[in-house]
């Protein structure tokens, strides 16, 4: 029980990154105070996310394969990348509300996203330390659900103590100091909740047969006398993860620049969405539904919701749709994590989740890039709605994956 608690606490800590840095805090600050024009700023933000993902996809499988063959290296990699991500988040304090800091902000975004995804890779690789094939699904859903409910507290902290001009700490809004300090609060939150897991001792199993050739290991994992079951799952994930990146990363910018939600409204939206997201994950943990079915239902629901969001013009209607989408987004990701853990043997969790991360990033530049092109030449609505197409394509390919 203590191990499960440590695992879940890390999820609570790192949840500030997708919620604030990718969705509502940093993108809103970047578009409204740093970018010269919202549409160009939105495109640059999306392209930076794509480039960070592309770089990560070539590096993380190599690190994952290396860590599988070195005792305690999962823990070491988890620590290094977690601390690097936390430091990157805190450095956003030095990004001033001026166009002169545009490239500084984008560089920090690149580093923060790279280290966040790398730390998440090794966090996921610890999942098999806390359960077996019959309990991993439940642990994964509980951890993800804890992240949703835990981040509710930091949302309220940011809302009450930093976000508004009349914040309780009386922090001045000059040079957006209150928003910049909010990044420091996010970094501290991540650090506090990550420490218990990072200080734990893992019983990492290592392969008896040492093979430093990442190419041969990848080939064995995804293609042996034809595409393996794991290979089919990873290809499906390439598509739906790409769609999810566009939907999540573009949410804050789309909501603020197209739907005209204020920063306070974005935080309230996040509050509602997290409650429903947590309920979705905990429901998946205790309802005896196979992870593949959870994944397919979630993908279908999200495709419909994102399409309707892209067409929305009413604030209440948009907030309702985002809330529904969040209910399915959590189970989608926690089910994906447990499926991958069960598909790979214990001693290959590093390379397994390295490929898992890469599958969500190797073409991640394509989704944001196409979304950016559609945004440039047509509209933000078309660019954002494109993510629904990717989600549906992932669903179709998932039909051929066997998980039982």
């Amino acid at each position: 029980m203590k191990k499960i608690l440590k695992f879940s606490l890390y999820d609570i800590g790192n949840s500030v990154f997708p919620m604030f840095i990718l969705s509502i805090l940093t993108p809103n600050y970047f578009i409204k105070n740093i970018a010269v024009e919202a549409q160009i700023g939105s495109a640059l933000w999306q392209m930076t996310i794509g480039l960070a993902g592309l770089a990560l996809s070539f590096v993380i499988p190599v690190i994952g394969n290396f860590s599988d063959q070195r005792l305690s290296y999962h823990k070491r990699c988890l620590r290094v990348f977690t601390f690097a991500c936390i430091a990157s988040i805190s450095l956003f304090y030095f990004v001033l509300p001026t166009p002169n800091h545009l490239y500084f902000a984008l560089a920090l975004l690149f580093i923060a996203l790279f280290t966040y995804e790398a730390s998440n890779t090794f966090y996921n690789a610890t999942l098999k330390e806390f359960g077996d094939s019959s309990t991993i699904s439940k642990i994964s859903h509980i951890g993800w659900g804890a992240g949703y409910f835990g981040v509710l507290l930091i949302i309220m902290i940011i809302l009450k103590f930093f976000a508004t001009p009349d914040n309780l700490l009386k922090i001045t809004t000059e040079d957006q100091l209150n928003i910049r300090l909010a990044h420091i609060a996010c970094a501290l939150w991540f650090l506090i909740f990550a420490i218990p897991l990072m200080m734990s001792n893992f019983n990492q199993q290592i392969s008896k047969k040492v093979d430093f050739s990442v190419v041969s290991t990848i080939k064995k994992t995804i293609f042996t006398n034809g595409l393996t079951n794991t290979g089919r799952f990873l290809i499906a994930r390439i598509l739906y993860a790409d769609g999810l990146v566009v939907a999540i990363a573009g949410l804050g910018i789309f909501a603020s620049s197209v739907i005209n939600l204020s920063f306070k409204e974005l935080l309230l939206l996040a509050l509602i969405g997290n409650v429903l997201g947590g309920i979705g994950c905990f429901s998946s943990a205790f309802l005896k539904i196979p992870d593949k079915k959870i994944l397919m239902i979630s993908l279908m629901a999200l495709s419909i919701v994102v399409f309707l969001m892209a067409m929305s013009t009413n604030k209440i209607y948009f907030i309702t749709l985002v809330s529904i989408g969040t209910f399915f987004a959590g189970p989608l990701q926690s089910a994906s994590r447990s499926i991958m853990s069960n598909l790979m043997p214990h001693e290959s969790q590093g390379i397994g989740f390295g490929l898992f991360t890469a599958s969500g990033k190797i073409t991640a530049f394509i989704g944001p890039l196409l979304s950016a092109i559609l945004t440039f030449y047509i509209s933000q609505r078309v660019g954002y709605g494109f993510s629904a197409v990717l989600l549906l394509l992932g669903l179709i390919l998932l039909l051929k994956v066997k998980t039982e």
Side-chain angles (χ1 to χ4, degrees):
M1 188 65 184
K2 189 180 292 185
K3 285 186 175 182
I4 296 175
L5 178 61
K6 290 179 179 180
F7 184 84
S8 298
L9 285 175
Y10 190 94
D11 240 320
I12 292 174
N14 77 355
S15 291
V16 298
F17 191 89
M19 178 56 61
F20 288 99
I21 309 304
L22 288 184
S23 296
I24 60 174
L25 179 69
T26 315
N28 188 63
Y29 176 62
F30 178 79
I31 292 297
K32 294 187 174 180
N33 297 281
I34 299 172
V36 177
E37 200 274 321
Q39 190 167 346
I40 294 176
S42 175
L44 288 172
W45 188 266
Q46 293 278 25
M47 283 192 283
T48 301
I49 290 172
L51 289 172
L54 182 62
L56 181 78
S57 66
F58 287 106
V59 175
I60 200 63
V62 177
I63 300 175
N65 186 54
F66 181 80
S67 70
D68 280 338
Q69 301 175 56
R70 291 286 191 279
L71 193 62
S72 298
Y73 264 59
H74 286 175
K75 180 172 67 175
R76 293 184 186 183
C77 290
L78 176 66
R79 288 176 177 175
V80 168
F81 288 118
T82 299
F83 284 129
C85 181
I86 290 169
S88 301
I89 294 171
S90 64
L91 287 174
F92 273 103
Y93 168 79
F94 298 101
V95 178
L96 299 177
T98 168
N100 293 333
H101 280 205
L102 184 142
Y103 293 109
F104 178 36
L106 292 175
L108 276 181
L109 172 65
F110 183 97
I111 297 169
L113 182 58
F114 185 99
T115 53
Y116 165 75
E117 293 291 355
S119 66
N120 221 27
T121 296
F122 291 100
Y123 166 55
N124 290 336
T126 69
L127 184 56
K128 257 188 175 167
E129 305 295 334
F130 303 108
D132 54 31
S133 59
S134 64
T135 59
I136 279 176
S137 175
K138 186 175 182 178
I139 295 170
S140 181
H141 289 304
I142 289 174
W144 214 287
Y148 274 115
F149 281 116
V151 84
L152 291 175
L153 180 57
I154 187 64
I155 288 174
M156 290 186 283
I157 290 172
I158 297 297
L159 184 61
K160 293 293 184 181
F161 292 92
F162 298 95
T164 59
D166 57 343
N167 61 82
L168 294 181
L169 293 178
K170 307 298 181 184
I171 302 172
T172 179
T173 58
E174 185 178 355
D175 286 335
Q176 297 293 309
L177 179 62
N178 58 325
I179 301 301
R180 288 158 49 215
L181 282 172
H183 286 87
I184 300 295
C186 288
L188 288 173
W189 177 273
F190 193 171
L191 176 64
I192 290 168
F193 287 98
I195 284 177
L197 182 65
M198 290 195 294
M199 295 299 108
S200 298
N201 291 319
F202 302 151
N203 296 317
Q204 179 186 338
Q205 293 185 14
I206 58 175
S207 176
K208 294 180 180 179
K209 183 180 179 181
V210 178
D211 184 3
F212 293 112
S213 174
V214 69
V215 175
S216 64
T217 305
I218 290 174
K219 184 179 179 180
K220 179 182 176 182
T221 302
I222 65 176
F223 196 90
T224 302
N225 297 322
L227 199 62
T228 65
N229 196 47
T230 302
R232 286 192 291 270
F233 172 68
L234 290 172
I235 291 174
R237 188 174 183 274
I238 284 175
L239 290 167
Y240 74 72
D242 226 16
L244 201 60
V245 165
V246 176
I248 293 176
L251 177 60
I253 291 174
F254 184 83
S256 61
S257 60
V258 177
I259 309 300
N260 293 318
L261 294 187
S262 66
F263 179 63
K264 190 172 182 179
E265 288 172 326
L266 285 170
L267 282 176
L268 291 173
L269 172 62
L271 196 65
I272 296 170
N274 270 264
V275 171
L276 292 174
I279 292 173
C281 286
F282 281 113
S283 297
S284 300
F286 294 102
L287 293 175
K288 295 182 179 180
I289 302 175
D291 280 325
K292 182 181 175 180
K293 284 189 177 179
I294 292 173
L295 198 51
M296 293 177 69
I297 292 169
S298 298
L299 284 170
M300 177 60 72
L302 276 172
S303 300
I304 296 171
V305 166
V306 169
F307 177 76
L308 294 175
M309 283 167 57
M311 298 173 63
S312 176
T313 56
N314 180 276
K315 284 187 177 183
I316 301 300
Y317 180 53
F318 181 81
I319 289 172
T320 302
L321 288 170
V322 173
S323 300
I324 294 171
T326 309
F327 178 86
F328 291 100
L332 183 153
Q333 295 173 90
S334 55
S336 297
R337 175 168 68 181
S338 55
I339 287 173
M340 189 68 217
S341 185
N342 279 323
L343 285 173
M344 297 297 294
H346 198 158
E347 66 273 10
S348 301
Q349 293 292 297
I351 182 64
F353 278 104
L355 290 171
F356 182 79
T357 299
S359 71
K361 301 300 174 184
I362 194 166
T363 62
F365 71 98
I366 295 178
L369 180 60
L370 290 175
S371 177
I373 292 172
L374 292 171
T375 298
F376 267 128
Y377 291 104
I378 303 178
S379 71
Q380 283 180 273
R381 292 186 183 278
V382 175
Y384 188 76
F386 174 69
S387 58
V389 176
L390 295 171
L391 292 169
L392 281 173
L393 289 174
L395 172 61
I396 293 170
L397 291 180
L398 189 65
L399 293 172
K400 295 185 176 180
V401 176
K402 297 179 182 179
T403 58
E404 297 178 3

